[in-house]
Amino acid sequence: MQYLPQLIASGISIGMIYAVVAFGYQLTFATSKTLNFGQGEALALGGLTGWSVTTWLIAHGIGVGVAYLLMIPIVLIFGMLQGAVVERLGVRQAIKTKSEAGWIMATIALGIIFKNLAENIWGRDALKFPSPLPEAALTFGSVRIQPMEIAIVIGALAMMLAVELFNRRSIFGKAVVATANDRDAAGLMGINTGLVIAFSYALSSMAAAFAGVLVAPITTAGVSSAAVLGLKAFAVAIIGGLSSGLGVIVGGLILGITETMTGYFISTGYKDVPGLVLLLLVLSFKPSGLFGKATIKKV
Amino acid sequence: MLKIENLFAGYGKVQVLHGVSMEVPTGMLVTLIGSNGAGKTTTLRALSGMIKPESGSITLGGVEIGGLPSHAIARKGLAHSPEARRIFPTQSVFDNLLLGAFPRLTGARPKGDVQGDISKMFEIFPRLAERRAQLAGTLSGGEQQMLAMARALMLQPEVLLLDEPSMGLSPKLVEEVFVVIARLKSEKVTMLLVEQFAAAALEVADFGYVMENGRLTASGTAASLKVDPAVRAAYLGSAH
């Protein structure tokens, strides 16, 4: 059991990545009751775009740390645009016609299209992402942590906190929450709820793209692992509850830590199993998620 | 101020309104009464853009608003306190009021004194002042009704639509709501009040319309409707 703290520490950073992507799922679900099933691809595109921007900046003589920081706003904007495209092409019409399932197929289809696009631009192989922080691990007692892993946790929390603050403090954020509460009533307040939904898709993909550039320096950038990551983050959103901000963080940590534990104590071949078993248990016993509030669908 | 001509509307294939024409003059309190299912709420929903009218004309201050999306109609100055209140449950009372002023805070309508208007709402509805920081979802039914009305007033509307403000409230609270409506009337707020509680509505209104099965069957000054034998028999429960 001496490796337990190490396994937990390693699980936390990957868990926070899941949490950020799961947070993205929540953003669109709150305003429109729809989800972007291409979140994994949005993460991959963010990572790859970040890779291109960072390597270009480095090639032009900019230091890797500065290049990474300069790249982040560009990737955030790129993520927002990509999310807006998904909303416009895949979701808007489905919401307008109150289609129950149209958006599911449409967002999956757009995810596949984005994946193919990425494979043709950047190739199928994972790309080594230049790390903005030293790769040598820091030692805390028996626990070794890469500086980038700490950056992931800080970056992930900062992003979620920024969105929460925006929602609570600004009148536009309050309009987003109002739309999530009651779309028709929000419309009566003069809030353009269609625009709010488009914005939530933009924010959602922005979160995924940000997760992509956070995780890439410790893994790699590429499309191959993205779909799985998107799916796991979806499991996190379900485990934590699609309406709870705290839920995705706890859900992400649970999944991240159980994965590293299983990988170590059982086999890396089974590392995805506990999270998925947990997903099935949650769906059986508390379908609204560990932190979600039960909602009754009115007919 | 608000003029409706030959309005047809409904839900999908179910037509509810069959050619409704009515008028709400500036500074007047007009009431629309009728039994359950007559189409009163549907009328308000068509006016504020919650449903799209099939045909007919709706003008606000001479500007056609029929068929516009609800947010665009609100920005033109039509406020709607909807059936079942529809307050924002996870936001504070104060934030609900701010959201009522959304078009004013975002430049779509003249800003005026938003903070001052919130203070005024707290003066008109003292219960809301006590609960200003509380989440709106935790309010009682009566308080939620007050909040829905205050939130709609925060638009500083040209016309205020009130849908069944007495619904589900105790007699004492109904009385309180009507006292507020009378006060708003004395301040020359232009209102269209939908009510099942016809006696109270006709008591406070200047003018009234009676709706049956999606058509207007009677209209006149509130005083004349109150003594109209047919209206009395059907809605005021005093046929003898």
Side-chain angles (χ1 to χ4, degrees), chain A residues 161-223:
Chain A
L161 196 67
V163 174
E164 276 302 309
L165 279 178
F166 170 78
N167 279 350
R168 281 170 200 231
R169 295 289 158 84
S170 76
I171 186 68
F172 291 102
K174 291 179 207 285
V176 172
V177 181
T179 304
N181 276 176
D182 186 331
R183 200 179 158 198
D184 283 344
L188 294 179
M189 302 301 116
I191 296 164
N192 183 345
T193 56
L195 199 61
V196 169
I197 289 169
F199 175 71
S200 68
Y201 264 82
L203 270 192
S204 169
S205 284
M206 185 199 82
F210 183 57
V213 295
L214 277 181
V215 75
I218 60 166
T219 57
T220 50
V223 287

Side-chain angles (χ1 to χ4, degrees), chain A residues 91-196:
Chain A
V91 184
R92 190 174 297 180
Q93 201 56 32
I95 292 176
K96 197 173 275 177
T97 56
K98 297 196 162 59
S99 160
E100 290 275 354
W103 54 271
I104 300 175
M105 256 344 278
T107 58
I108 292 173
L110 282 164
I112 294 169
I113 292 169
F114 281 123
K115 180 170 185 259
N116 285 331
L117 206 64
E119 283 172 345
N120 279 296
I121 296 173
W122 287 281
R124 282 165 176 273
D125 297 331
L127 300 169
K128 166 104 182 68
F129 200 103
S131 180
L133 295 170
E135 286 177 74
L138 305 169
T139 313
F140 302 91
S142 65
V143 181
R144 293 161 56 78
I145 301 174
Q146 283 188 43
M148 198 59 212
E149 290 182 303
I150 299 171
I152 285 175
V153 175
I154 294 170
L157 288 174
M159 203 221 66
M160 289 187 272
L161 196 67
V163 174
E164 276 302 309
L165 279 178
F166 170 78
N167 279 350
R168 281 170 200 231
R169 295 289 158 84
S170 76
I171 186 68
F172 291 102
K174 291 179 207 285
V176 172
V177 181
T179 304
N181 276 176
D182 186 331
R183 200 179 158 198
D184 283 344
L188 294 179
M189 302 301 116
I191 296 164
N192 183 345
T193 56
L195 199 61
V196 169

Side-chain angles (χ1 to χ4, degrees), chain A:
Chain A
M1 282 310 208
Q2 53 173 320
Y3 293 108
L4 207 56
Q6 177 67 58
L7 293 169
I8 291 173
S10 306
I12 286 174
S13 58
I14 186 68
M16 289 309 288
I17 293 294
Y18 294 149
V20 170
V21 181
F23 183 69
Y25 281 115
Q26 287 187 335
L27 292 174
T28 62
F29 188 74
T31 55
S32 65
K33 297 286 173 281
T34 62
L35 300 157
N36 177 7
F37 283 108
Q39 280 286 75
E41 285 75 19
L43 178 143
L45 278 179
L48 290 165
T49 306
W51 178 85
S52 290
V53 174
T54 310
T55 51
W56 186 86
L57 288 171
I58 291 170
H60 285 72
I62 293 169
V64 59
V66 177
Y68 189 83
L69 290 177
L70 286 176
M71 167 276 290
I72 287 176
I74 296 171
V75 165
L76 295 184
I77 292 168
F78 169 81
M80 292 189 88
L81 293 175
Q82 192 259 343
V85 167
V86 172
E87 190 274 338
R88 182 68 195 86
L89 298 181
V91 184
R92 190 174 297 180
Q93 201 56 32
I95 292 176
K96 197 173 275 177
T97 56
K98 297 196 162 59
S99 160
E100 290 275 354
W103 54 271
I104 300 175
M105 256 344 278
T107 58
I108 292 173
L110 282 164
I112 294 169
I113 292 169
F114 281 123
K115 180 170 185 259
N116 285 331
L117 206 64
E119 283 172 345
N120 279 296
I121 296 173
W122 287 281
R124 282 165 176 273
D125 297 331
L127 300 169
K128 166 104 182 68
F129 200 103
S131 180
L133 295 170
E135 286 177 74
L138 305 169
T139 313
F140 302 91
S142 65
V143 181
R144 293 161 56 78
I145 301 174
Q146 283 188 43
M148 198 59 212
E149 290 182 303
I150 299 171
I152 285 175
V153 175
I154 294 170
L157 288 174
M159 203 221 66
M160 289 187 272
L161 196 67
V163 174
E164 276 302 309
L165 279 178
F166 170 78
N167 279 350
R168 281 170 200 231
R169 295 289 158 84
S170 76
I171 186 68
F172 291 102
K174 291 179 207 285
V176 172
V177 181
T179 304
N181 276 176
D182 186 331
R183 200 179 158 198
D184 283 344
L188 294 179
M189 302 301 116
I191 296 164
N192 183 345
T193 56
L195 199 61
V196 169
I197 289 169
F199 175 71
S200 68
Y201 264 82
L203 270 192
S204 169
S205 284
M206 185 199 82
F210 183 57
V213 295
L214 277 181
V215 75
I218 60 166
T219 57
T220 50
V223 287
S224 53
S225 57
V228 179
L229 219 155
L231 197 67
K232 284 186 189 167
F234 184 57
V236 164
I238 300 293
I239 290 169
L242 269 167
S243 58
S244 165
L246 181 67
V248 287
I249 295 177
V250 175
L253 294 182
I254 291 175
L255 194 68
I257 292 167
T258 52
E259 267 183 27
T260 55
M261 296 257 200
T262 316
Y264 181 80
F265 289 114
I266 300 169
S267 153
T268 50
Y270 282 116
K271 82 181 172 69
D272 297 339
V273 172
L276 297 174
V277 169
L278 183 64
L279 171 72
L280 294 173
L281 288 176
V282 167
L283 285 176
S284 307
F285 295 106
K286 200 167 183 310
S288 55
L290 294 178
F291 292 83
K293 289 176 212 85
T295 50
I296 296 159
K297 189 170 178 180
K298 285 184 197 159
V299 183

Side-chain angles (χ1 to χ4, degrees), chain A residues 167-168 171-179 181-193 293, chain B residues 45 48 50 70-71 74-75 78 80 82 86-91 95 98-100 102-103 105-106 151:
Chain A
N167 279 350
R168 281 170 200 231
I171 186 68
F172 291 102
K174 291 179 207 285
V176 172
V177 181
T179 304
N181 276 176
D182 186 331
R183 200 179 158 198
D184 283 344
L188 294 179
M189 302 301 116
I191 296 164
N192 183 345
T193 56
K293 289 176 212 85
Chain B
R45 291 169 71 95
S48 66
M50 289 175 88
S70 58
H71 66 89
R75 290 172 189 187
L78 187 73
H80 183 177
R86 310 286 286 267
I87 45 97
F88 301 117
T90 71
Q91 311 216 53
D95 283 352
L98 270 186
L99 283 162
F102 184 79
L105 293 165
T106 54
R151 184 182 65 173

Side-chain angles (χ1 to χ4, degrees), chain B residues 7-10 45-47 49 51-58 65-68:
Chain B
L7 180 65
F8 286 78
R45 291 169 71 95
L47 292 179
I51 58 170
K52 218 177 158 75
E54 278 151 39
S55 65
S57 152
I58 305 167
I65 58 167
L68 293 179

